[in-house]
Amino acid sequence: MADTARTHGVPLRRLDLGGGLGIACLPEDEPLDVRDLAPAVVDRVHKACADAGIPMPRLAVEPGRAIAGPTTVTLYTVGTVKRRCGLRTWLSADGGLSDNLPCAPPSTARPARPSSPPGRRRGAPTRR
């Protein structure tokens, strides 16, 4: 900010700090609370401006996934189920990792829940 003000003779009126706020990918994750983060960021920018002798710009952030991510659900249709005598069960689904926003490493277990009531088959008519 100070370099821009010195080089161009104009202090920044607005500063977009971008994004990068983490979100909870797993139930045990605890993302940063923006109410805790915002004052710390404002204080740091304010100090940098004061030290450089330039006015404090209006700040903007792009929280992106921190807003949309917690509300997002991905639905898949299970095609084939393959069971191995008490060892493991495999499912083939109509989607994959590329359908999801990168959040946790691909090897990370993600919670899964059925979207239909237990015992109801896919394509079975619903009661109205």
Side-chain angles (χ1 to χ4, degrees), residues 1-12 48-49 51-54:
M1 293 182 307
D3 289 344
T4 300
R6 277 193 298 273
T7 303
H8 300 286
V10 179
L12 295 177
C49 289
D51 290 349
I54 58 175

Side-chain angles (χ1 to χ4, degrees), residues 58-126:
R58 182 176 179 161
L59 299 178
V61 294
E62 301 170 31
R65 284 185 7 200
I67 292 174
T71 65
T72 304
V73 174
T74 304
L75 293 175
Y76 296 109
T77 302
V78 174
T80 305
V81 178
K82 184 178 178 181
R83 292 182 173 85
R84 287 289 179 218
C85 300
L87 295 174
R88 200 171 261 191
T89 301
W90 287 271
L91 304 174
S92 69
D94 63 349
L97 288 176
S98 62
D99 296 340
N100 297 299
L101 294 171
C103 184
S107 61
T108 303
R110 290 172 170 83
R113 293 179 186 88
S115 61
S116 300
R120 183 169 169 254
R121 290 185 355 215
R122 175 176 56 117
T126 57

Side-chain angles (χ1 to χ4, degrees), residues 9-59:
V10 179
L12 295 177
R13 292 187 302 156
R14 294 186 187 114
L15 177 62
D16 187 330
L17 299 171
L21 294 177
I23 66 170
C25 296
L26 301 171
E28 64 270 14
D29 290 347
E30 293 183 29
L32 290 172
D33 188 328
V34 70
R35 292 170 292 196
D36 297 330
L37 183 62
V41 170
V42 170
D43 288 348
R44 185 168 250 177
V45 174
H46 188 268
K47 181 178 181 334
C49 289
D51 290 349
I54 58 175
M56 174 77 174
R58 182 176 179 161
L59 299 178

